Amino acid sequence: MVRLASARAGAAVIVALGMLALGACSSEPPGPTAAQAEATLKADIDWLVKSTHAKDVTVTDEGGKDIPCGEGKAKRTYGVAGVDASSVDEPVIIFNMLTGGLGKRGYKVVSVDWKTPSNESVKGESRVKITVDSSRKKHFELSGETQCLRVAL
């Protein structure tokens, strides 16, 4: 009887250890670092500018710097401004074109101001946010930032 209880206790320990190991394997990955998220941010904004009728594009925020935002964490930024060279003159049409392009890259709109027009779109898995602003005729601004993320792996 003692052997049976001992064997059951040993089996219970093995099962518990196995469950802990599985739990560790199935936990959510830590996600990108601030620098990795910034690389996604820059690539998405640069892709969007290249896929539109943009001219006179200037970098308004080069990024590349950790902005402290928590214990051992930082965020990064990046932004550009340009002129739409298409025949479209309406700010809302340019706005829709830019927002649609971000949608193709996996972004979801989280807030919109139709008066401006401007919006914020996020790409959850990459932990980045881009603001589209086309409030001036033929002009647009794209500015982005990462979430507050760890600095190194």
Side-chain angles (χ1 to χ4, degrees):
M1 183 68 92
V2 173
R3 271 192 182 159
L4 184 58
S6 178
R8 284 184 182 163
V13 169
I14 291 172
V15 168
L17 289 174
M19 291 176 72
L20 283 173
L22 285 175
C25 292
S26 65
S27 66
E28 189 174 321
T33 64
Q36 290 168 331
E38 179 191 30
T40 298
L41 177 65
K42 286 181 173 184
D44 289 344
I45 288 177
D46 291 346
W47 174 88
L48 184 58
V49 168
K50 288 177 185 169
S51 67
T52 62
H53 301 284
K55 68 176 186 176
D56 301 331
V57 177
T58 58
V59 175
T60 57
D61 180 352
E62 293 182 18
K65 296 178 285 200
D66 288 335
I67 301 166
C69 57
E71 191 172 312
K73 293 185 176 185
K75 66 179 180 175
R76 295 225 179 161
T77 59
Y78 181 66
V80 300
V83 177
D84 180 61
S86 72
S87 59
V88 175
D89 283 338
E90 291 297 318
V92 74
I93 295 174
I94 295 167
F95 167 76
N96 285 335
M97 179 181 61
L98 294 168
T99 301
L102 288 174
K104 290 179 182 178
R105 299 290 279 198
Y107 285 80
K108 305 285 185 227
V109 175
V110 294
S111 69
V112 178
D113 178 357
W114 288 106
K115 293 175 195 166
T116 308
S118 66
N119 74 8
E120 288 184 353
S121 297
V122 297
K123 191 174 191 179
E125 71 278 1
S126 299
R127 312 235 170 99
V128 296
K129 171 179 70 173
I130 295 177
T131 301
V132 174
D133 183 328
S134 64
S135 56
R136 294 183 356 206
K137 187 175 182 178
K138 302 291 282 177
H139 291 80
F140 64 88
E141 293 180 27
L142 302 168
S143 58
E145 69 179 31
T146 70
Q147 291 178 357
C148 190
L149 302 169
R150 61 194 160 76
V151 178
L153 291 174

